[in-house]
Amino acid sequence: MSESSDLSGLSKIYEESGKVRISLEGKKFNKIRKYAEEHFEQFWAEQAKNLVWFKEWDKILDWRDPPFAKWFVGGKLNACVNCLDRHLTHDNNNIKNKAAIIWEGENGENRTFTYYQLYRSVNIFANALKNIGVMKDDRVTIYLPMVPELPIAMLSCARIGAIHNVVFSGFSSQALVNRINDSKSKIVITADGSYRRGKLLELKRTVDEAIADTPSVEHVVVLKRASNIVRTGSKDVWWHDIIENASQYCEPEVVDSSHPLYILYTSGTTGKPKGVVHDTGGYLCHLNATAKWVYNFRKDDIYFCTADIGWVTGHSYIVYAPLMHGVTEIMYDGTPDYPKPDRYWKIVEKHGATILHTTPTALRMYMKFGDAIPNSFDLSSLRLLGTVGEPINPDVWIWYFKTIGKENCPVIDTWWQTETGGIMISACTDIEESIPMKPGSATFPLPGIHMDIVDEKDGSSVASNRKGYLVIRKPWPGMLTTLWQNDEKYKDTYWKKYDNIYYTGDYALSDSDGYIWLLGRADDVLKIAGHRLGTMELESAFVSHKSIAEAAVTSMPDEKKGESIIAFVVLRTGFSKSDNLRKELIDYIRNVVGPIATPNEIYFVNKLPKTRSGKIMRRLLKSIANGATETGDVTTIEDGTSLEEVRQAYNEMHKNI
Ligand code: ATP
Ligand code: MG
């Protein structure tokens, strides 16, 4: 990789990493990409032909009223049919009797659903929903743990044309109230309880609190999961009761391609969560194509995506994409470190997972505990490793590649957002020309996806090796159609900065070979003595130090430099905090990234404030460092004590100054 001043931090780490290069097989990439550029709409129409349509579209893309795109106008389909009914025919590799979901609970218990069993369960539950009054277009809030009934409930909604609104089951009643009221849901589906680290979570109690303030709710459907004694009110019905007399087959509702499949709120890393709406036809087309390119699914794959279905990765790449492809997947209801920090490896070994898709946050947690743990498991079934959710630090990438993949599995870093619906930037194991991988780079935009990196001021494309805002120049099939009942906010948030160009809010650069490097959130950019530094470069430099497991960097006002850098770091097992280590780290960062990046202060903490989807919430660190008493929207924080710890670490240091 060529040198560049802008990429100095990351490139040095990369150079020192021994230049990991993996060649992906395949010869079609350039051809496909070129074709997609030249025949943009036609290209996507060809992808859409791989879905099951009741009626084909009349027009591929309607972009006459930007930013409101309509994909496959006039086309009619059903999402559930695309995931299940399509696999019931005899000529389809006998997918009908293949395991669709291998479920594992945190206590090690397993349940398996074949495609046929899943199909049957969905049909029955769809009828049960109809029997309690759910109709096409009604919103259904689903507040369930990671049990098979969660995808069953989602697919049942899709079957009858209802719009699901899944709320992550770790959220409080207030977060639930906001999402139920915003979507005006008629039904809430929940469980009597669920388990987290061996403890009972009283989901039903949270729902009871919530529905006192949610006038739209007519019924609460309760799944018996924990044999927990719960209060039953007048609106409550048991899942097992309503399926008792529901009939076995439910005619799928044939919907327009533009019919909303679901509402899903973003993670809340940068502010108040936004209610993203996805359509049916465009979204499924995007997922079907991208899953094939990125994973190149094989008949005998056992696919393990560790996301929670409460987030978009779970919606797109646990529910809709793998089921459309007839894949066998593992669904795990638990945390990566329970009962011990080895759980993903244990699951890979137990079920013979071939593809593992997880987050940098989980990987950094495992790294902290050392290599002996993963080395004690048989991980030889793995053929492909994926990551999503945050930029992956080069050192973490290399650890994943070497310690988990034993240098045999490509690591694919997939960049995308709740709003994009599906993967936008990633290496493609199905279609890639033989290319070297660069640890820490998400590589290239997928075919038919028009990403660009632009200058902050005028929106013009920046030269290679120059940082800028990551944008999308053309509509894409998986794109959000709007924010729920808020077209204005949709326009303002994503399309106003540059006229009819989608603003992602992320900061990136493309190197001399055209590889894209994600550099963090635009909101988090540090402005030091006239230079703009991405958080990613600095954090990766910290994580490349032997003592550091995790780092979050932000800035505080500085009279001389405008802003100065401060870092919150979590140490690896076996290291302890000291002034010497602090000094060593400051020197290290100065050497690796350059004198401009010299941190002013380093705080040692046990955990960083993160969203429940595992993303570091730098805006909270920044507000503490700027002396704000109000920290903004914290409804999606994973653990409030992390914020307290950060505040304490900060105050303690400032007392002494
Ligand atoms: P909010 O929009 O409410 O602030 P959020 O952006 O965290 O929350 P998501 O849609 O879950 O909500 O996350 C998308 C964001 O996650 C991207 O904009 C990007 O910042 C980050 N991200 C996802 N995948 C990657 C990746 N592979 N590399 C770098 N960043 C990533
Ligand atoms: Mg976002």
Side-chain angles (χ1 to χ4, degrees):
M1 190 176 67
S2 58
E3 275 296 326
S4 109
S5 56
D6 267 336
L7 202 60
S8 54
L10 290 178
S11 66
K12 266 190 204 147
I13 294 162
Y14 166 65
E15 306 264 320
E16 282 158 22
S17 72
K19 296 199 176 65
V20 175
R21 288 179 178 244
I22 314 164
S23 289
L24 296 172
E25 294 306 316
K27 296 279 170 275
K28 296 174 275 177
F29 183 58
N30 281 336
K31 253 206 293 204
I32 290 187
R33 175 185 291 249
K34 195 156 176 288
Y35 178 76
E37 284 214 347
E38 285 164 8
H39 310 272
F40 172 64
E41 292 190 12
Q42 187 55 32
F43 170 75
W44 281 114
E46 282 162 23
Q47 308 310 315
K49 290 212 163 110
N50 295 321
L51 303 182
V52 180
W53 295 87
F54 289 107
K55 178 185 169 288
E56 211 174 273
W57 53 91
D58 307 312
K59 187 169 173 48
I60 302 167
L61 170 65
D62 181 351
W63 187 234
R64 285 172 305 180
D65 180 24
F68 300 95
K70 289 199 177 75
W71 281 89
F72 310 115
V73 185
K76 291 192 183 292
L77 76 171
N78 180 283
C80 179
V81 168
N82 271 280
C83 291
L84 300 176
D85 304 44
R86 77 186 310 173
H87 302 308
L88 300 186
T89 49
H90 294 294
D91 57 354
N92 224 334
N93 301 318
N94 204 13
I95 290 175
K96 177 182 169 186
N97 300 322
K98 182 179 170 179
I101 296 174
I102 300 172
W103 175 84
E104 176 148 331
E106 67 168 26
N107 63 357
E109 164 197 11
N110 290 127
R111 289 166 75 194
T112 300
F113 280 77
T114 64
Y115 272 88
Y116 188 78
Q117 289 168 332
L118 197 59
Y119 163 82
R120 189 52 85 205
S121 304
V122 166
N123 273 268
I124 293 171
F125 191 65
N127 278 328
L129 287 178
K130 274 180 150 177
N131 293 345
I132 58 168
V134 183
M135 295 192 297
K136 181 171 178 249
D137 296 322
D138 282 344
R139 274 79 60 205
V140 175
T141 291
I142 306 178
Y143 182 67
L144 282 172
M146 281 284 287
V147 288
E149 284 79 3
L150 171 50
I152 288 171
M154 292 162 74
L155 292 164
S156 300
C157 289
R159 193 160 190 94
I160 62 177
I163 302 166
H164 59 71
N165 173 35
V166 176
V167 179
F168 172 63
S169 66
F171 274 140
S172 65
S173 67
Q174 191 52 51
L176 192 55
V177 167
N178 297 346
R179 288 160 178 73
I180 295 172
N181 285 342
D182 194 40
S183 62
K184 296 209 170 44
S185 290
K186 192 175 191 178
I187 303 285
V188 177
I189 303 173
T190 190
D192 58 347
S194 78
Y195 298 101
R196 217 59 181 173
R197 300 175 190 283
K199 281 207 208 99
L200 182 71
L201 280 190
E202 301 223 38
L203 297 187
K204 175 61 168 58
R205 189 184 290 232
T206 311
V207 172
D208 289 344
E209 281 167 31
I211 63 157
D213 299 320
T214 55
S216 61
V217 175
E218 292 177 10
H219 290 293
V220 177
V221 179
V222 189
L223 174 75
K224 222 183 217 348
R225 150 90 174 112
S227 301
N228 178 26
I229 295 171
V230 293
R231 200 194 77 183
T232 43
S234 58
K235 293 182 177 178
D236 298 340
V237 290
W238 286 104
W239 179 299
H240 58 261
D241 283 341
I242 62 167
I243 60 170
E244 178 89 16
N245 296 316
S247 48
Q248 303 286 308
Y249 175 73
C250 174
E251 189 69 27
E253 185 78 35
V254 176
V255 300
D256 287 337
S257 176
S258 60
H259 178 75
L261 180 60
Y262 66 79
I263 307 168
L264 179 64
Y265 291 81
T266 57
S267 293
T269 313
T270 54
K272 196 169 182 292
K274 301 171 279 279
V276 165
V277 181
H278 282 292
D279 74 356
T280 305
Y283 175 72
L284 293 184
C285 164
H286 190 120
L287 295 189
N288 197 59
T290 55
K292 178 170 166 21
W293 298 331
V294 171
Y295 300 115
N296 191 15
F297 286 126
R298 297 178 189 166
K299 266 193 211 163
D300 58 350
D301 267 333
I302 306 279
Y303 165 77
F304 180 22
C305 173
T306 68
D308 193 289
I309 292 177
W311 310 116
V312 74
T313 306
H315 278 60
S316 296
Y317 297 100
I318 295 182
V319 181
Y320 291 106
L323 295 179
M324 277 193 287
H325 281 281
V327 168
T328 298
E329 64 179 332
I330 299 167
M331 191 176 156
Y332 170 52
D333 185 18
T335 51
D337 55 349
Y338 185 84
K340 286 193 279 182
D342 63 1
R343 199 57 196 270
Y344 289 172
W345 322 132
K346 211 174 180 151
I347 291 173
V348 167
E349 180 183 80
K350 179 172 174 185
H351 301 290
T354 56
I355 305 175
L356 174 68
H357 204 161
T358 190
T359 60
T361 288
L363 295 172
R364 288 190 297 254
M365 185 277 292
Y366 283 126
M367 271 178 86
K368 183 171 145 179
F369 289 98
D371 292 4
I373 299 175
N375 286 346
S376 68
F377 290 91
D378 176 8
L379 305 178
S380 60
S381 56
L382 289 170
R383 69 169 182 86
L384 185 64
L385 301 173
T387 148
V388 62
E390 281 193 301
I392 182 163
N393 320 94
D395 275 68
V396 179
W397 195 107
I398 289 161
W399 182 82
Y400 199 20
F401 176 67
K402 291 191 172 160
T403 309
I404 306 307
K406 315 292 180 209
E407 305 191 20
N408 289 322
C409 311
V411 173
I412 45 161
D413 175 12
T414 60
W415 179 92
W416 56 296
Q417 311 178 300
T418 310
E419 294 88 341
T420 69
I423 298 172
M424 304 291 275
I425 306 176
S426 172
C428 295
T429 61
D430 178 39
I431 57 175
E432 210 76 88
E433 192 83 46
S434 175
I435 58 148
M437 309 283 278
K438 297 186 184 186
S441 163
T443 71
F444 304 107
L446 300 192
I449 301 293
H450 292 254
M451 310 289 314
D452 197 1
I453 298 168
V454 300
D455 184 83
E456 183 185 351
K457 288 184 211 87
D458 59 8
S460 63
S461 303
V462 295
S464 61
N465 288 321
R466 290 280 155 242
K467 292 171 195 162
Y469 291 154
L470 186 69
V471 298
I472 309 167
R473 286 199 175 271
K474 279 192 184 178
W476 66 99
M479 66 193 280
L480 73 168
T481 54
T482 189
L483 293 176
W484 181 251
Q485 307 254 300
N486 205 340
D487 287 351
E488 282 310 308
K489 190 167 177 193
Y490 166 65
K491 287 197 250 179
D492 288 352
T493 313
Y494 308 106
W495 301 94
K496 218 172 184 173
K497 201 170 191 77
Y498 309 112
D499 211 17
N500 291 336
I501 296 175
Y502 176 89
Y503 172 67
T504 66
D506 282 356
Y507 199 46
L509 71 70
S510 154
D511 70 18
S512 329
D513 302 325
Y515 284 61
I516 295 180
W517 298 76
L518 279 307
L519 300 176
R521 311 280 182 145
D523 291 355
D524 296 334
V525 160
L526 315 173
K527 298 175 199 92
I528 314 293
H531 295 262
R532 296 170 71 74
L533 296 173
T535 50
M536 173 61 184
E537 289 163 275
L538 287 163
E539 289 166 7
S540 288
F542 272 106
V543 173
S544 69
H545 189 272
K546 59 181 185 305
S547 68
I548 303 295
E550 268 198 301
V553 167
T554 185
S555 61
M556 61 189 284
D558 183 291
E559 275 177 19
K560 268 192 255 142
K561 292 189 271 182
E563 282 185 357
S564 65
I565 298 168
I566 61 173
F568 294 82
V569 297
V570 178
L571 292 174
R572 289 203 198 194
T573 312
F575 290 87
S576 43
K577 62 178 183 181
S578 70
D579 283 342
N580 278 347
L581 180 55
R582 189 176 275 124
K583 282 197 200 95
E584 184 183 323
L585 285 168
I586 290 176
D587 286 345
Y588 180 76
I589 299 300
R590 193 204 308 267
N591 284 335
V592 173
V593 191
I596 176 86
T598 310
N600 249 38
E601 286 165 16
I602 295 176
Y603 306 92
F604 296 103
V605 291
N606 290 310
K607 43 187 182 296
L608 297 170
K610 289 185 188 159
T611 61
R612 288 169 190 270
S613 55
K615 296 164 198 265
I616 299 171
M617 298 170 92
R618 292 176 197 78
R619 67 181 161 96
L620 303 185
L621 302 175
K622 185 157 188 160
S623 63
I624 289 175
N626 284 270
T629 40
E630 274 291 307
T631 33
D633 190 296
V634 288
T635 50
T636 66
I637 196 168
E638 185 192 21
D639 178 353
T641 63
S642 59
L643 196 57
E644 267 324 293
E645 204 202 331
V646 163
R647 206 189 293 276
Q648 259 176 23
Y650 180 82
N651 289 342
E652 228 162 74
M653 176 102 87
H654 284 256
K655 249 195 327 228
N656 301 337
I657 286 172

